[in-house]
Amino acid sequence: MVVVSYSGREINAKIVYYGPGLSGKTTNLEKIYDSVPESNRGRMVSMKTQTDRTLFFDLLPLDLGELQGMKTRFLLYTVPGQVYYNATRKLVLKGVDAVVFVADSSPDKMAENRESLTNLETNLKSYGLDIKTMPWVIQFNKRDLPNALSIDQMNQELNRYKVPVFEAQAANGVGVFETLRGVSKILLAKISKDVMDRGSLGTAARVSSGEAKKPPAAGEAPPSKSTEPKKGRGKLMEFLKKGREEEAAAEEAAADSMADARQETILPEDVLTEEPAPARVQSFVERNPFADAPVEPAPTVEEEPMVLSDDDIVLEQEPDDGDVSGLVDHAVEEPKER
C-alpha cells in the first residue's frame, strides 16, 4: 500500500522480489544495496532461515526523479523461496505495491518457477490483489548458464500475462538495476494514475471522437486561450493538499475539544466555598484534664539543727541478775498446748 508522507514530501512504496529458492532474489538486493550511497539507503535487515534469508531495506533512488514534487522511497523485500515457508512469503506480501519475479533460467528449475509463480498469484488473491492489474515484471536470471533456456521458452512457460521481462546475471550485477528501474517506472505510473482518477470528479463533459473542432466563423474572434489548467493536470497536488487540509482540520477540532473540556471544568463563584482552616493540634498539657491548675511546689523551709540538752540524755542501767521486775512487763505468755 502506497504511503504518502506530507511532512517529508515522500511517497513510500513496497517492492517484493519473489521467486523459487536460490533463484537470485537475495543477490539482486545485495547488489543494489552495495551500489547505492549510504545517504540514499537504510540499514539492511536479514532474517535467516535454515536454507534461505529474507532481506529488506529502504531505498531512495535518485535517477527516477520526483513525482509532482514528491520524492519516491522504495522498501525492497525478498522472500524465502522454499515451499514450506509459505506463511513467511504470504506475510511479506502484505501491503505490497509491485513485484519482481526472479526466475531461474536452468531447465531443471522450470517446475519450481511455475510452482512459485502460481503460489504468488494465490497469495496475492488472499489480500484481494489481482496479478493482472498489479505492477510486476519478470527477471530471467542466470543467463550465463551454458544450458540456459531461451527467452522464447521462458516467456512461453512463465509470461502468460505479457509483462515486461529483463535478462540478468545477478551474481555479476548485470541487469539488476535495469530490472529495478523497469518495475519502478511502472509503479510510479500506476500511482500517478490512481491518484488522478481518485481526485477527478468524473462529471466533466467530454468531446466525442466524431465531433471535429469547427473553425471560427467569418468575423468572429477566435476564442482566447483559457488560463485555467487543463483537466487532469495537477490532480496529484490537489489530492495531497486535500490531505494536508484534512490533517489541519483534525488538529483544530482536537484543540477546540480540549478548550471546551477546560471550560466545563471551571466552577462558578457561588459554588466555590472556602475550606476551613485545619484545627490546631493540642499539646499534651492541654489534653490532660489534671493539668488545668498546675500545682505549685511548696516553699522550702529550712530545718533548724537539732541540739540535745542534758535533760534529753538518759543513762541506761543494766538490771541485776536477781531483779526481774523490770522484765515483767516485757514477758510474753507462751501459748498453752491443747
Side-chain angles (χ1 to χ4, degrees):
M1 180 179 62
V2 177
V3 178
V4 179
S5 174
Y6 300 103
S7 59
R9 303 292 298 172
E10 286 184 355
I11 298 176
N12 300 323
K14 181 178 181 180
I15 301 176
V16 175
Y17 280 68
Y18 210 94
L22 305 178
S23 62
K25 306 179 298 296
T26 301
T27 306
N28 269 272
L29 261 68
E30 289 177 342
K31 291 295 181 181
I32 295 172
Y33 188 83
D34 294 338
S35 303
V36 175
E38 294 184 2
S39 58
N40 296 347
R41 72 185 186 193
R43 185 172 62 91
M44 177 180 285
V45 180
S46 175
M47 296 182 294
K48 293 184 178 181
T49 59
Q50 187 175 0
T51 56
D52 207 342
R53 287 187 300 170
T54 298
L55 302 178
F56 65 89
F57 65 93
D58 59 298
L59 174 67
L60 184 64
L62 299 177
D63 56 348
L64 295 178
E66 297 181 350
L67 182 62
Q68 295 289 346
M70 306 282 286
K71 297 180 181 178
T72 55
R73 182 179 295 275
F74 297 132
L75 282 73
L76 306 184
Y77 284 74
T78 64
V79 295
Q82 283 70 17
V83 177
Y84 43 84
Y85 290 127
N86 182 60
T88 305
R89 291 199 303 271
K90 183 178 179 181
L91 181 62
V92 174
L93 279 177
K94 186 176 182 180
V96 65
D97 298 303
V99 175
V100 175
F101 185 83
V102 182
D104 197 322
S105 297
S106 175
D108 300 334
K109 297 291 184 178
M110 183 53 64
E112 297 181 17
N113 290 333
R114 289 194 297 266
E115 182 181 7
S116 181
L117 184 58
T118 303
N119 178 260
L120 170 63
E121 190 170 0
T122 302
N123 287 337
L124 288 176
K125 285 183 179 179
S126 66
Y127 292 116
L129 302 175
D130 189 0
I131 197 173
K132 297 178 183 179
T133 59
M134 164 161 285
W136 69 292
V137 299
I138 301 177
Q139 182 190 80
F140 296 149
N141 194 25
K142 302 182 181 180
R143 298 305 301 167
D144 54 339
L145 293 177
N147 60 341
L149 295 174
S150 64
I151 298 298
D152 293 338
Q153 290 175 318
M154 298 287 290
N155 275 319
Q156 185 177 358
E157 293 286 344
L158 302 175
N159 195 11
R160 60 179 180 272
Y161 297 113
K162 308 300 180 183
V163 298
V165 297
F166 298 89
E167 299 183 59
Q169 301 175 24
N172 301 325
V174 178
V176 173
F177 280 94
E178 288 79 2
T179 304
L180 176 62
R181 191 175 296 109
V183 70
S184 300
K185 289 182 178 179
I186 298 174
L187 174 59
L188 292 178
K190 184 177 185 301
I191 293 174
S192 179
K193 180 178 181 300
D194 290 347
V195 174
M196 288 175 61
D197 291 345
R198 190 182 307 174
S200 60
L201 299 177
T203 57
R206 298 182 180 179
V207 180
S208 60
S209 58
E211 294 182 356
K213 294 183 178 180
K214 298 180 180 180
E220 183 180 354
S224 59
K225 294 183 179 180
S226 176
T227 58
E228 297 181 357
K230 294 184 178 180
K231 297 289 184 179
R233 291 186 180 180
K235 295 294 183 180
L236 179 60
M237 291 303 298
E238 294 178 4
F239 176 76
L240 298 178
K241 292 179 180 178
K242 181 180 179 182
R244 288 195 297 270
E245 293 175 357
E246 292 178 353
E247 288 184 354
E251 293 178 357
E252 184 177 355
D256 294 341
S257 62
M258 291 291 292
D260 295 340
R262 286 194 297 268
Q263 291 179 359
E264 291 178 358
T265 57
I266 298 176
L267 298 176
E269 294 181 356
D270 55 351
V271 179
L272 299 178
T273 58
E274 288 190 19
E275 294 185 0
R280 187 175 61 86
V281 179
Q282 295 180 345
S283 64
F284 173 76
V285 176
E286 294 174 341
R287 294 196 307 268
N288 186 3
F290 302 100
D292 294 336
V295 179
E296 297 182 359
T300 58
V301 179
E302 297 183 0
E303 296 181 359
E304 297 181 358
M306 182 180 294
V307 180
L308 297 178
S309 62
D310 295 338
D311 297 336
D312 295 327
I313 299 174
V314 179
L315 297 176
E316 184 177 356
Q317 298 179 357
E318 294 182 2
D320 296 336
D321 293 339
D323 187 6
V324 293
S325 58
L327 299 177
V328 174
D329 296 336
H330 301 284
V332 177
E333 185 178 356
E334 295 181 1
K336 297 181 180 180
E337 294 184 0
R338 293 180 181 182

